[in-house]
Amino acid sequence: MLPTSHLTLHNDAQHGRSLSDDCNGPDNDGACTGYLDTVLTVFERHNHPFVLVGTAATRWNASRGNVREIDVLLRSSQMEGIVDDLVISKQWVKCDEKPTYANDACWGNETAVKDIWLEARFADTPARYLGFAHLRFWPEELYQLSVTDCQKKEVPDAMALNSVQLEEDYHRDPSGRFGPRLADSIHAFGHSLTPGPKHRARSLSHQHLPIVIPTVQSHLNSLLDQYRAQEATGLSIGNGTGGHVLNYIRYNLFDWPPARDWLLGSGRIEARNMELMEKWIRRYRRKPALSWDQEAGKYVFVNNFFEAVLGPLAGANTVNKG
């Protein structure tokens, strides 16, 4: 751990200042403080990459889940020093009690390998606009993912305001009529990928400090490893693992046979996880879709979503409608 005197931290919170005090006015966007500026500075001083996992990461991989906290992957050997320095900054405090939702069956960690929760203590918590006020630090052993060895990609912010798939090879429909949303399509509709200056994770002065996420391949395999471990031990790690896997299938359309066959045959799913991934895809059932019936002159339900969009022979898992 580096001596505290060597850390340049933003301590405005201890003086009762808001993160947006220097951000008021139409010409002051560059002065806005990012809510993760201090966190990223501490990670840099510890020579530790800032690796997002959880829902914040999956929103950059097409999923549309709601972010409850910022989940970050850490090496166990460096976790204590990083947490200590964040507490010293007085912008974050170690939680004596987890958020209410973190104690239920889905989000509670039952294992002996503990995660750490921190709560924001500056005036403008991200909860006011983005919906969360906590950091959750995951040790590698618990998340089944190596900080050093996992494949990573850089993202422009901790929060994808509109969920997007940055890895374009996961968009398997050459017609472009369906698939995970890509950045070009979001921009085409005039939507933004990231929050505005007052709500971003990094100020302009901290843009050189990267925010990264695991690739789809690395993240999906870690989730499948987590699920197998939970099945073997009967102990939940509190990550909502199954929900993340289903969201990957849903929003990347892995239940469409061409996408399914490409995913399972591309080497992206590790051999140890192949049977489990096939099982998850088989059990996923997409809702029926509305399709215009020219003869009837009205919209009708089509059980097969992909046939509704692409026409007969498209194929997919279907749900029966009685």
Side-chain angles (χ1 to χ4, degrees), residues 103-168:
N103 292 312
D104 63 26
C106 181
W107 297 99
N109 176 14
E110 301 171 340
T111 74
V113 182
K114 297 305 179 185
D115 51 325
I116 294 178
W117 291 76
L118 297 171
E119 184 175 1
R121 278 293 183 260
F122 37 80
D124 288 343
T125 66
R128 194 172 290 186
Y129 175 70
L130 299 175
F132 62 88
H134 294 86
L135 294 172
R136 189 179 189 183
F137 287 170
W138 291 90
E140 295 172 312
E141 299 86 347
L142 188 61
Y143 209 83
Q144 303 279 341
L145 190 62
S146 167
V147 169
T148 302
D149 296 337
C150 75
Q151 302 171 26
K152 310 174 191 70
K153 59 190 178 188
E154 187 169 354
V155 294
D157 196 89
M159 168 66 76
L161 196 58
N162 290 282
S163 61
V164 63
Q165 178 52 270
L166 297 179
E167 298 178 54
E168 295 188 6

Short mmCIF file of all heavy atoms in Angstrom, two decimals, residues 103-168:
data_model
loop_
_atom_site.label_atom_id
_atom_site.label_comp_id
_atom_site.label_asym_id
_atom_site.label_seq_id
_atom_site.Cartn_x
_atom_site.Cartn_y
_atom_site.Cartn_z
N ASN A 103 -29.20 -8.23 0.84
CA ASN A 103 -29.34 -9.25 1.87
C ASN A 103 -30.34 -10.34 1.51
O ASN A 103 -30.57 -11.26 2.28
CB ASN A 103 -29.76 -8.60 3.20
CG ASN A 103 -28.65 -7.73 3.77
OD1 ASN A 103 -27.51 -8.14 3.85
ND2 ASN A 103 -29.00 -6.51 4.15
N ASP A 104 -30.96 -10.21 0.32
CA ASP A 104 -31.94 -11.23 -0.04
C ASP A 104 -31.24 -12.42 -0.70
O ASP A 104 -30.02 -12.45 -0.87
CB ASP A 104 -33.05 -10.65 -0.93
CG ASP A 104 -32.53 -10.15 -2.28
OD1 ASP A 104 -31.49 -10.65 -2.73
OD2 ASP A 104 -33.17 -9.24 -2.85
N ALA A 105 -32.05 -13.41 -1.06
CA ALA A 105 -31.48 -14.68 -1.54
C ALA A 105 -30.68 -14.52 -2.82
O ALA A 105 -29.73 -15.25 -3.07
CB ALA A 105 -32.62 -15.68 -1.77
N CYS A 106 -31.04 -13.53 -3.63
CA CYS A 106 -30.37 -13.37 -4.92
C CYS A 106 -29.03 -12.67 -4.78
O CYS A 106 -28.08 -13.00 -5.48
CB CYS A 106 -31.27 -12.57 -5.87
SG CYS A 106 -30.59 -12.32 -7.52
N TRP A 107 -28.94 -11.69 -3.85
CA TRP A 107 -27.77 -10.82 -3.82
C TRP A 107 -26.86 -11.05 -2.61
O TRP A 107 -25.81 -10.43 -2.50
CB TRP A 107 -28.21 -9.36 -3.88
CG TRP A 107 -28.90 -9.06 -5.16
CD1 TRP A 107 -30.26 -9.00 -5.36
CD2 TRP A 107 -28.32 -8.81 -6.44
NE1 TRP A 107 -30.55 -8.74 -6.67
CE2 TRP A 107 -29.37 -8.60 -7.35
CE3 TRP A 107 -27.01 -8.74 -6.89
CZ2 TRP A 107 -29.15 -8.33 -8.70
CZ3 TRP A 107 -26.80 -8.46 -8.24
CH2 TRP A 107 -27.86 -8.26 -9.12
N GLY A 108 -27.25 -11.91 -1.69
CA GLY A 108 -26.43 -12.14 -0.51
C GLY A 108 -25.32 -13.14 -0.78
O GLY A 108 -25.55 -14.22 -1.34
N ASN A 109 -24.10 -12.82 -0.37
CA ASN A 109 -22.94 -13.72 -0.53
C ASN A 109 -22.86 -14.65 0.67
O ASN A 109 -22.65 -14.22 1.80
CB ASN A 109 -21.67 -12.88 -0.66
CG ASN A 109 -20.41 -13.73 -0.72
OD1 ASN A 109 -20.47 -14.94 -0.92
ND2 ASN A 109 -19.27 -13.09 -0.52
N GLU A 110 -23.01 -15.94 0.43
CA GLU A 110 -23.02 -16.94 1.50
C GLU A 110 -21.67 -17.64 1.68
O GLU A 110 -21.55 -18.49 2.56
CB GLU A 110 -24.10 -18.00 1.21
CG GLU A 110 -25.50 -17.41 1.09
CD GLU A 110 -26.52 -18.43 0.57
OE1 GLU A 110 -26.09 -19.44 -0.04
OE2 GLU A 110 -27.72 -18.21 0.78
N THR A 111 -20.68 -17.29 0.90
CA THR A 111 -19.41 -18.01 0.93
C THR A 111 -18.46 -17.39 1.96
O THR A 111 -18.69 -16.31 2.49
CB THR A 111 -18.72 -18.00 -0.45
OG1 THR A 111 -18.18 -16.69 -0.70
CG2 THR A 111 -19.71 -18.35 -1.55
N ALA A 112 -17.33 -18.09 2.18
CA ALA A 112 -16.32 -17.59 3.12
C ALA A 112 -15.44 -16.53 2.49
O ALA A 112 -14.74 -15.79 3.19
CB ALA A 112 -15.46 -18.76 3.60
N VAL A 113 -15.45 -16.42 1.15
CA VAL A 113 -14.67 -15.39 0.44
C VAL A 113 -15.55 -14.15 0.33
O VAL A 113 -16.54 -14.15 -0.39
CB VAL A 113 -14.23 -15.87 -0.95
CG1 VAL A 113 -13.38 -14.81 -1.64
CG2 VAL A 113 -13.48 -17.19 -0.86
N LYS A 114 -15.18 -13.10 1.04
CA LYS A 114 -16.09 -11.97 1.18
C LYS A 114 -15.82 -10.86 0.17
O LYS A 114 -14.68 -10.54 -0.16
CB LYS A 114 -16.01 -11.40 2.60
CG LYS A 114 -16.46 -12.40 3.67
CD LYS A 114 -17.88 -12.91 3.38
CE LYS A 114 -18.35 -13.93 4.40
NZ LYS A 114 -19.67 -14.50 4.04
N ASP A 115 -16.91 -10.28 -0.29
CA ASP A 115 -16.85 -9.06 -1.09
C ASP A 115 -16.94 -7.86 -0.15
O ASP A 115 -17.27 -8.01 1.03
CB ASP A 115 -18.01 -9.02 -2.09
CG ASP A 115 -19.36 -9.29 -1.43
OD1 ASP A 115 -19.42 -10.10 -0.48
OD2 ASP A 115 -20.36 -8.67 -1.84
N ILE A 116 -16.64 -6.67 -0.65
CA ILE A 116 -16.66 -5.46 0.18
C ILE A 116 -17.54 -4.41 -0.47
O ILE A 116 -17.45 -4.18 -1.68
CB ILE A 116 -15.23 -4.91 0.39
CG1 ILE A 116 -14.40 -5.90 1.21
CG2 ILE A 116 -15.26 -3.54 1.07
CD1 ILE A 116 -12.96 -5.46 1.42
N TRP A 117 -18.38 -3.78 0.36
CA TRP A 117 -19.28 -2.73 -0.11
C TRP A 117 -18.81 -1.38 0.42
O TRP A 117 -18.44 -1.24 1.58
CB TRP A 117 -20.70 -2.97 0.39
CG TRP A 117 -21.39 -4.15 -0.23
CD1 TRP A 117 -21.19 -5.47 0.06
CD2 TRP A 117 -22.41 -4.11 -1.23
NE1 TRP A 117 -22.01 -6.26 -0.69
CE2 TRP A 117 -22.78 -5.46 -1.49
CE3 TRP A 117 -23.04 -3.09 -1.91
CZ2 TRP A 117 -23.77 -5.78 -2.42
CZ3 TRP A 117 -24.03 -3.41 -2.84
CH2 TRP A 117 -24.37 -4.75 -3.10
N LEU A 118 -18.85 -0.36 -0.46
CA LEU A 118 -18.57 1.01 -0.07
C LEU A 118 -19.75 1.89 -0.48
O LEU A 118 -20.35 1.67 -1.54
CB LEU A 118 -17.30 1.52 -0.74
CG LEU A 118 -15.99 0.81 -0.40
CD1 LEU A 118 -14.88 1.31 -1.32
CD2 LEU A 118 -15.61 1.02 1.05
N GLU A 119 -20.05 2.88 0.36
CA GLU A 119 -21.16 3.78 0.07
C GLU A 119 -20.64 5.19 -0.18
O GLU A 119 -19.74 5.66 0.52
CB GLU A 119 -22.17 3.80 1.22
CG GLU A 119 -23.41 4.65 0.92
CD GLU A 119 -24.45 4.55 2.02
OE1 GLU A 119 -24.20 3.84 3.02
OE2 GLU A 119 -25.50 5.19 1.89
N ALA A 120 -21.19 5.88 -1.17
CA ALA A 120 -20.77 7.24 -1.49
C ALA A 120 -21.15 8.18 -0.36
O ALA A 120 -22.23 8.09 0.22
CB ALA A 120 -21.43 7.70 -2.79
N ARG A 121 -20.23 9.14 -0.06
CA ARG A 121 -20.47 10.10 0.99
C ARG A 121 -20.34 11.55 0.50
O ARG A 121 -20.36 12.47 1.31
CB ARG A 121 -19.49 9.87 2.16
CG ARG A 121 -19.94 8.77 3.10
CD ARG A 121 -21.20 9.19 3.84
NE ARG A 121 -21.64 8.21 4.82
CZ ARG A 121 -22.61 7.32 4.62
NH1 ARG A 121 -23.22 7.29 3.43
NH2 ARG A 121 -22.96 6.49 5.56
N PHE A 122 -20.21 11.75 -0.82
CA PHE A 122 -20.21 13.12 -1.31
C PHE A 122 -21.64 13.56 -1.54
O PHE A 122 -22.57 12.75 -1.60
CB PHE A 122 -19.36 13.26 -2.58
CG PHE A 122 -19.42 12.10 -3.53
CD1 PHE A 122 -20.47 11.94 -4.40
CD2 PHE A 122 -18.40 11.15 -3.54
CE1 PHE A 122 -20.52 10.88 -5.28
CE2 PHE A 122 -18.44 10.08 -4.42
CZ PHE A 122 -19.50 9.95 -5.29
N ALA A 123 -21.83 14.86 -1.69
CA ALA A 123 -23.18 15.43 -1.70
C ALA A 123 -24.03 14.92 -2.86
O ALA A 123 -25.19 14.59 -2.69
CB ALA A 123 -23.09 16.95 -1.73
N ASP A 124 -23.44 14.87 -4.04
CA ASP A 124 -24.20 14.44 -5.21
C ASP A 124 -23.89 12.98 -5.51
O ASP A 124 -23.02 12.68 -6.33
CB ASP A 124 -23.83 15.28 -6.44
CG ASP A 124 -24.37 16.69 -6.35
OD1 ASP A 124 -25.27 16.91 -5.53
OD2 ASP A 124 -23.88 17.56 -7.09
N THR A 125 -24.55 12.06 -4.84
CA THR A 125 -24.32 10.65 -5.13
C THR A 125 -24.90 10.33 -6.50
O THR A 125 -25.87 10.95 -6.93
CB THR A 125 -24.99 9.74 -4.08
OG1 THR A 125 -26.40 9.89 -4.18
CG2 THR A 125 -24.51 10.08 -2.68
N PRO A 126 -24.31 9.37 -7.21
CA PRO A 126 -24.87 8.99 -8.51
C PRO A 126 -26.32 8.54 -8.42
O PRO A 126 -27.03 8.54 -9.42
CB PRO A 126 -23.95 7.84 -8.97
CG PRO A 126 -22.67 8.08 -8.23
CD PRO A 126 -23.08 8.66 -6.90
N ALA A 127 -26.77 8.15 -7.21
CA ALA A 127 -28.14 7.69 -7.04
C ALA A 127 -29.15 8.76 -7.44
O ALA A 127 -30.26 8.45 -7.86
CB ALA A 127 -28.38 7.27 -5.59
N ARG A 128 -28.74 9.99 -7.33
CA ARG A 128 -29.68 11.08 -7.62
C ARG A 128 -30.09 11.07 -9.08
O ARG A 128 -31.19 11.47 -9.44
CB ARG A 128 -29.03 12.41 -7.23
CG ARG A 128 -30.00 13.57 -7.17
CD ARG A 128 -29.33 14.81 -6.59
NE ARG A 128 -29.06 14.67 -5.17
CZ ARG A 128 -28.58 15.66 -4.41
NH1 ARG A 128 -28.32 16.83 -4.96
NH2 ARG A 128 -28.35 15.47 -3.13
N TYR A 129 -29.21 10.60 -9.96
CA TYR A 129 -29.54 10.59 -11.38
C TYR A 129 -29.42 9.20 -11.99
O TYR A 129 -30.27 8.78 -12.77
CB TYR A 129 -28.61 11.57 -12.12
CG TYR A 129 -28.77 11.56 -13.62
CD1 TYR A 129 -29.91 12.07 -14.22
CD2 TYR A 129 -27.77 11.04 -14.44
CE1 TYR A 129 -30.06 12.08 -15.59
CE2 TYR A 129 -27.90 11.04 -15.83
CZ TYR A 129 -29.05 11.56 -16.39
OH TYR A 129 -29.19 11.55 -17.75
N LEU A 130 -28.39 8.47 -11.62
CA LEU A 130 -28.11 7.18 -12.26
C LEU A 130 -28.70 6.00 -11.51
O LEU A 130 -28.76 4.90 -12.05
CB LEU A 130 -26.59 7.00 -12.41
CG LEU A 130 -25.89 8.05 -13.27
CD1 LEU A 130 -24.38 7.83 -13.24
CD2 LEU A 130 -26.39 8.02 -14.70
N GLY A 131 -29.07 6.18 -10.25
CA GLY A 131 -29.78 5.13 -9.55
C GLY A 131 -28.95 4.24 -8.65
O GLY A 131 -29.42 3.20 -8.21
N PHE A 132 -27.71 4.61 -8.35
CA PHE A 132 -26.91 3.79 -7.44
C PHE A 132 -26.02 4.69 -6.59
O PHE A 132 -25.76 5.83 -6.92
CB PHE A 132 -26.03 2.81 -8.22
CG PHE A 132 -25.03 3.47 -9.12
CD1 PHE A 132 -23.78 3.84 -8.67
CD2 PHE A 132 -25.35 3.75 -10.44
CE1 PHE A 132 -22.87 4.47 -9.49
CE2 PHE A 132 -24.45 4.38 -11.27
CZ PHE A 132 -23.21 4.74 -10.80
N ALA A 133 -25.58 4.17 -5.44
CA ALA A 133 -24.73 4.94 -4.54
C ALA A 133 -23.67 4.07 -3.88
O ALA A 133 -23.10 4.46 -2.86
CB ALA A 133 -25.59 5.61 -3.46
N HIS A 134 -23.39 2.89 -4.46
CA HIS A 134 -22.47 1.95 -3.84
C HIS A 134 -21.45 1.41 -4.83
O HIS A 134 -21.73 1.29 -6.02
CB HIS A 134 -23.23 0.76 -3.23
CG HIS A 134 -24.11 1.13 -2.08
ND1 HIS A 134 -25.41 1.57 -2.25
CD2 HIS A 134 -23.88 1.12 -0.73
CE1 HIS A 134 -25.94 1.83 -1.06
NE2 HIS A 134 -25.04 1.55 -0.14
N LEU A 135 -20.28 1.10 -4.30
CA LEU A 135 -19.29 0.28 -4.99
C LEU A 135 -19.30 -1.10 -4.35
O LEU A 135 -19.44 -1.22 -3.13
CB LEU A 135 -17.89 0.87 -4.85
CG LEU A 135 -17.59 2.22 -5.51
CD1 LEU A 135 -16.21 2.70 -5.08
CD2 LEU A 135 -17.66 2.10 -7.03
N ARG A 136 -19.14 -2.13 -5.16
CA ARG A 136 -19.01 -3.49 -4.63
C ARG A 136 -17.75 -4.09 -5.20
O ARG A 136 -17.61 -4.21 -6.43
CB ARG A 136 -20.23 -4.33 -5.01
CG ARG A 136 -20.26 -5.70 -4.31
CD ARG A 136 -21.49 -6.49 -4.72
NE ARG A 136 -21.65 -7.69 -3.91
CZ ARG A 136 -22.62 -8.59 -4.10
NH1 ARG A 136 -23.51 -8.41 -5.06
NH2 ARG A 136 -22.70 -9.66 -3.31
N PHE A 137 -16.81 -4.43 -4.33
CA PHE A 137 -15.52 -4.98 -4.76
C PHE A 137 -15.55 -6.50 -4.68
O PHE A 137 -15.80 -7.08 -3.61
CB PHE A 137 -14.39 -4.43 -3.89
CG PHE A 137 -14.06 -2.98 -4.15
CD1 PHE A 137 -13.21 -2.30 -3.30
CD2 PHE A 137 -14.58 -2.32 -5.25
CE1 PHE A 137 -12.87 -0.97 -3.54
CE2 PHE A 137 -14.26 -0.99 -5.51
CZ PHE A 137 -13.40 -0.32 -4.64
N TRP A 138 -15.26 -7.13 -5.81
CA TRP A 138 -15.26 -8.59 -5.93
C TRP A 138 -13.83 -9.12 -6.01
O TRP A 138 -13.10 -8.78 -6.94
CB TRP A 138 -15.99 -9.01 -7.20
CG TRP A 138 -17.46 -8.77 -7.21
CD1 TRP A 138 -18.10 -7.63 -7.65
CD2 TRP A 138 -18.49 -9.66 -6.80
NE1 TRP A 138 -19.45 -7.77 -7.53
CE2 TRP A 138 -19.73 -9.02 -7.00
CE3 TRP A 138 -18.47 -10.96 -6.27
CZ2 TRP A 138 -20.94 -9.62 -6.71
CZ3 TRP A 138 -19.68 -11.56 -5.97
CH2 TRP A 138 -20.90 -10.89 -6.19
N PRO A 139 -13.42 -9.98 -5.07
CA PRO A 139 -12.12 -10.64 -5.23
C PRO A 139 -12.17 -11.64 -6.39
O PRO A 139 -13.21 -12.22 -6.68
CB PRO A 139 -11.91 -11.35 -3.88
CG PRO A 139 -13.27 -11.49 -3.29
CD PRO A 139 -14.10 -10.36 -3.82
N GLU A 140 -11.03 -11.80 -7.04
CA GLU A 140 -10.97 -12.68 -8.21
C GLU A 140 -11.51 -14.08 -7.91
O GLU A 140 -12.23 -14.67 -8.72
CB GLU A 140 -9.52 -12.82 -8.67
CG GLU A 140 -8.87 -11.57 -9.18
CD GLU A 140 -7.39 -11.77 -9.42
OE1 GLU A 140 -6.70 -12.32 -8.52
OE2 GLU A 140 -6.91 -11.41 -10.51
N GLU A 141 -11.15 -14.61 -6.73
CA GLU A 141 -11.54 -15.98 -6.40
C GLU A 141 -13.06 -16.14 -6.33
O GLU A 141 -13.59 -17.20 -6.66
CB GLU A 141 -10.94 -16.39 -5.04
CG GLU A 141 -9.43 -16.36 -5.00
CD GLU A 141 -8.86 -15.00 -4.65
OE1 GLU A 141 -9.62 -14.00 -4.68
OE2 GLU A 141 -7.66 -14.92 -4.34
N LEU A 142 -13.73 -15.09 -5.90
CA LEU A 142 -15.18 -15.16 -5.77
C LEU A 142 -15.85 -15.00 -7.13
O LEU A 142 -16.83 -15.69 -7.43
CB LEU A 142 -15.67 -14.08 -4.80
CG LEU A 142 -17.14 -14.13 -4.39
CD1 LEU A 142 -17.47 -15.45 -3.69
CD2 LEU A 142 -17.48 -12.95 -3.48
N TYR A 143 -15.33 -14.09 -7.95
CA TYR A 143 -15.97 -13.82 -9.25
C TYR A 143 -15.52 -14.80 -10.33
O TYR A 143 -16.03 -14.75 -11.45
CB TYR A 143 -15.67 -12.38 -9.69
CG TYR A 143 -16.77 -11.82 -10.56
CD1 TYR A 143 -17.92 -11.26 -9.99
CD2 TYR A 143 -16.68 -11.85 -11.94
CE1 TYR A 143 -18.94 -10.76 -10.79
CE2 TYR A 143 -17.70 -11.35 -12.75
CZ TYR A 143 -18.82 -10.82 -12.15
OH TYR A 143 -19.83 -10.32 -12.96
N GLN A 144 -14.57 -15.67 -10.00
CA GLN A 144 -14.09 -16.67 -10.96
C GLN A 144 -13.51 -16.01 -12.21
O GLN A 144 -13.74 -16.45 -13.34
CB GLN A 144 -15.22 -17.62 -11.35
CG GLN A 144 -15.88 -18.35 -10.21
CD GLN A 144 -15.09 -19.58 -9.75
OE1 GLN A 144 -14.27 -20.10 -10.48
NE2 GLN A 144 -15.36 -20.04 -8.56
N LEU A 145 -12.73 -14.93 -11.99
CA LEU A 145 -12.17 -14.19 -13.12
C LEU A 145 -10.86 -13.54 -12.69
O LEU A 145 -10.80 -12.94 -11.61
CB LEU A 145 -13.16 -13.13 -13.61
CG LEU A 145 -12.85 -12.41 -14.92
CD1 LEU A 145 -12.81 -13.39 -16.09
CD2 LEU A 145 -13.90 -11.33 -15.18
N SER A 146 -9.84 -13.63 -13.52
CA SER A 146 -8.53 -13.06 -13.20
C SER A 146 -8.41 -11.64 -13.73
O SER A 146 -8.68 -11.39 -14.91
CB SER A 146 -7.42 -13.93 -13.79
OG SER A 146 -6.17 -13.26 -13.77
N VAL A 147 -8.01 -10.72 -12.86
CA VAL A 147 -7.79 -9.34 -13.29
C VAL A 147 -6.74 -9.29 -14.40
O VAL A 147 -6.89 -8.57 -15.40
CB VAL A 147 -7.34 -8.48 -12.09
CG1 VAL A 147 -6.85 -7.10 -12.56
CG2 VAL A 147 -8.47 -8.32 -11.08
N THR A 148 -5.68 -10.05 -14.23
CA THR A 148 -4.57 -10.01 -15.18
C THR A 148 -4.87 -10.76 -16.47
O THR A 148 -4.58 -10.28 -17.57
CB THR A 148 -3.30 -10.59 -14.54
OG1 THR A 148 -2.97 -9.85 -13.35
CG2 THR A 148 -2.12 -10.55 -15.50
N ASP A 149 -5.46 -11.93 -16.36
CA ASP A 149 -5.56 -12.83 -17.51
C ASP A 149 -6.83 -12.66 -18.34
O ASP A 149 -6.87 -13.12 -19.49
CB ASP A 149 -5.48 -14.29 -17.04
CG ASP A 149 -4.13 -14.61 -16.41
OD1 ASP A 149 -3.15 -13.91 -16.72
OD2 ASP A 149 -4.07 -15.55 -15.59
N CYS A 150 -7.86 -12.03 -17.82
CA CYS A 150 -9.10 -11.93 -18.59
C CYS A 150 -8.91 -10.96 -19.76
O CYS A 150 -8.14 -10.00 -19.68
CB CYS A 150 -10.28 -11.50 -17.72
SG CYS A 150 -10.30 -9.75 -17.24
N GLN A 151 -9.61 -11.24 -20.86
CA GLN A 151 -9.61 -10.34 -22.00
C GLN A 151 -10.45 -9.11 -21.64
O GLN A 151 -11.53 -9.23 -21.08
CB GLN A 151 -10.19 -11.02 -23.23
CG GLN A 151 -9.47 -12.29 -23.64
CD GLN A 151 -10.20 -13.03 -24.73
OE1 GLN A 151 -10.96 -12.47 -25.50
NE2 GLN A 151 -9.99 -14.35 -24.78
N LYS A 152 -9.96 -7.93 -21.99
CA LYS A 152 -10.64 -6.69 -21.60
C LYS A 152 -10.81 -5.76 -22.79
O LYS A 152 -10.11 -5.87 -23.80
CB LYS A 152 -9.84 -5.95 -20.52
CG LYS A 152 -9.40 -6.79 -19.33
CD LYS A 152 -8.50 -5.98 -18.40
CE LYS A 152 -7.84 -6.84 -17.36
NZ LYS A 152 -6.81 -7.74 -17.94
N LYS A 153 -11.73 -4.85 -22.64
CA LYS A 153 -11.91 -3.77 -23.62
C LYS A 153 -12.25 -2.49 -22.86
O LYS A 153 -12.90 -2.53 -21.82
CB LYS A 153 -13.00 -4.11 -24.63
CG LYS A 153 -14.38 -4.35 -24.01
CD LYS A 153 -15.35 -4.92 -25.03
CE LYS A 153 -16.71 -5.21 -24.40
NZ LYS A 153 -17.62 -5.93 -25.29
N GLU A 154 -11.80 -1.37 -23.37
CA GLU A 154 -12.04 -0.09 -22.71
C GLU A 154 -13.41 0.45 -23.08
O GLU A 154 -13.87 0.30 -24.22
CB GLU A 154 -10.95 0.91 -23.10
CG GLU A 154 -11.03 2.21 -22.30
CD GLU A 154 -9.80 3.10 -22.48
OE1 GLU A 154 -8.84 2.63 -23.15
OE2 GLU A 154 -9.81 4.23 -21.97
N VAL A 155 -14.07 1.08 -22.11
CA VAL A 155 -15.38 1.68 -22.34
C VAL A 155 -15.30 3.17 -22.00
O VAL A 155 -14.45 3.60 -21.22
CB VAL A 155 -16.47 0.99 -21.50
CG1 VAL A 155 -16.67 -0.45 -21.97
CG2 VAL A 155 -16.14 1.01 -20.00
N PRO A 156 -16.19 3.99 -22.57
CA PRO A 156 -16.09 5.44 -22.37
C PRO A 156 -16.56 5.93 -21.02
O PRO A 156 -16.26 7.07 -20.63
CB PRO A 156 -16.96 6.01 -23.49
CG PRO A 156 -17.89 4.91 -23.86
CD PRO A 156 -17.15 3.63 -23.63
N ASP A 157 -17.30 5.12 -20.27
CA ASP A 157 -17.81 5.55 -18.98
C ASP A 157 -18.21 4.31 -18.18
O ASP A 157 -18.34 3.22 -18.74
CB ASP A 157 -19.04 6.46 -19.16
CG ASP A 157 -19.39 7.25 -17.90
OD1 ASP A 157 -18.86 8.36 -17.73
OD2 ASP A 157 -20.18 6.74 -17.08
N ALA A 158 -18.40 4.47 -16.88
CA ALA A 158 -18.85 3.35 -16.07
C ALA A 158 -20.29 2.97 -16.38
O ALA A 158 -20.69 1.82 -16.18
CB ALA A 158 -18.71 3.68 -14.58
N MET A 159 -21.07 3.92 -16.88
CA MET A 159 -22.48 3.68 -17.16
C MET A 159 -22.77 3.85 -18.64
O MET A 159 -22.45 4.88 -19.23
CB MET A 159 -23.34 4.66 -16.35
CG MET A 159 -24.80 4.71 -16.78
SD MET A 159 -25.69 3.18 -16.46
CE MET A 159 -25.93 3.32 -14.69
N ALA A 160 -23.36 2.82 -19.24
CA ALA A 160 -23.90 2.96 -20.59
C ALA A 160 -25.32 3.48 -20.44
O ALA A 160 -26.21 2.76 -19.99
CB ALA A 160 -23.90 1.62 -21.31
N LEU A 161 -25.52 4.74 -20.79
CA LEU A 161 -26.85 5.33 -20.63
C LEU A 161 -27.87 4.58 -21.47
O LEU A 161 -29.01 4.34 -21.05
CB LEU A 161 -26.81 6.81 -21.05
CG LEU A 161 -27.97 7.69 -20.62
CD1 LEU A 161 -28.12 7.68 -19.10
CD2 LEU A 161 -27.77 9.12 -21.12
N ASN A 162 -27.48 4.19 -22.67
CA ASN A 162 -28.26 3.30 -23.52
C ASN A 162 -27.42 2.06 -23.78
O ASN A 162 -26.29 2.16 -24.28
CB ASN A 162 -28.62 3.97 -24.85
CG ASN A 162 -29.64 5.08 -24.67
OD1 ASN A 162 -30.83 4.83 -24.52
ND2 ASN A 162 -29.17 6.33 -24.68
N SER A 163 -27.94 0.90 -23.42
CA SER A 163 -27.14 -0.32 -23.54
C SER A 163 -26.74 -0.56 -24.99
O SER A 163 -27.49 -0.25 -25.93
CB SER A 163 -27.92 -1.52 -23.00
OG SER A 163 -29.12 -1.72 -23.73
N VAL A 164 -25.56 -1.14 -25.18
CA VAL A 164 -24.99 -1.26 -26.52
C VAL A 164 -24.05 -2.48 -26.54
O VAL A 164 -23.48 -2.85 -25.52
CB VAL A 164 -24.21 0.02 -26.88
CG1 VAL A 164 -23.03 0.24 -25.94
CG2 VAL A 164 -23.74 0.02 -28.33
N GLN A 165 -23.90 -3.09 -27.70
CA GLN A 165 -22.93 -4.16 -27.88
C GLN A 165 -21.72 -3.57 -28.62
O GLN A 165 -21.82 -3.20 -29.79
CB GLN A 165 -23.53 -5.32 -28.67
CG GLN A 165 -22.57 -6.47 -28.96
CD GLN A 165 -21.86 -7.00 -27.72
OE1 GLN A 165 -20.78 -6.52 -27.37
NE2 GLN A 165 -22.48 -7.97 -27.07
N LEU A 166 -20.59 -3.49 -27.93
CA LEU A 166 -19.39 -2.90 -28.53
C LEU A 166 -18.64 -3.89 -29.42
O LEU A 166 -17.83 -3.49 -30.24
CB LEU A 166 -18.46 -2.38 -27.43
CG LEU A 166 -19.01 -1.24 -26.58
CD1 LEU A 166 -17.99 -0.84 -25.51
CD2 LEU A 166 -19.40 -0.03 -27.42
N GLU A 167 -18.88 -5.19 -29.23
CA GLU A 167 -18.22 -6.21 -30.05
C GLU A 167 -19.15 -6.58 -31.20
O GLU A 167 -20.05 -7.40 -31.06
CB GLU A 167 -17.88 -7.43 -29.19
CG GLU A 167 -16.92 -7.12 -28.05
CD GLU A 167 -16.62 -8.31 -27.18
OE1 GLU A 167 -16.21 -9.36 -27.73
OE2 GLU A 167 -16.81 -8.22 -25.95
N GLU A 168 -18.92 -5.98 -32.34
CA GLU A 168 -19.87 -6.05 -33.44
C GLU A 168 -20.02 -7.45 -34.03
O GLU A 168 -21.02 -7.73 -34.71
CB GLU A 168 -19.49 -5.05 -34.53
CG GLU A 168 -19.59 -3.60 -34.06
CD GLU A 168 -19.39 -2.60 -35.19
OE1 GLU A 168 -19.28 -3.03 -36.36
OE2 GLU A 168 -19.35 -1.39 -34.88
#
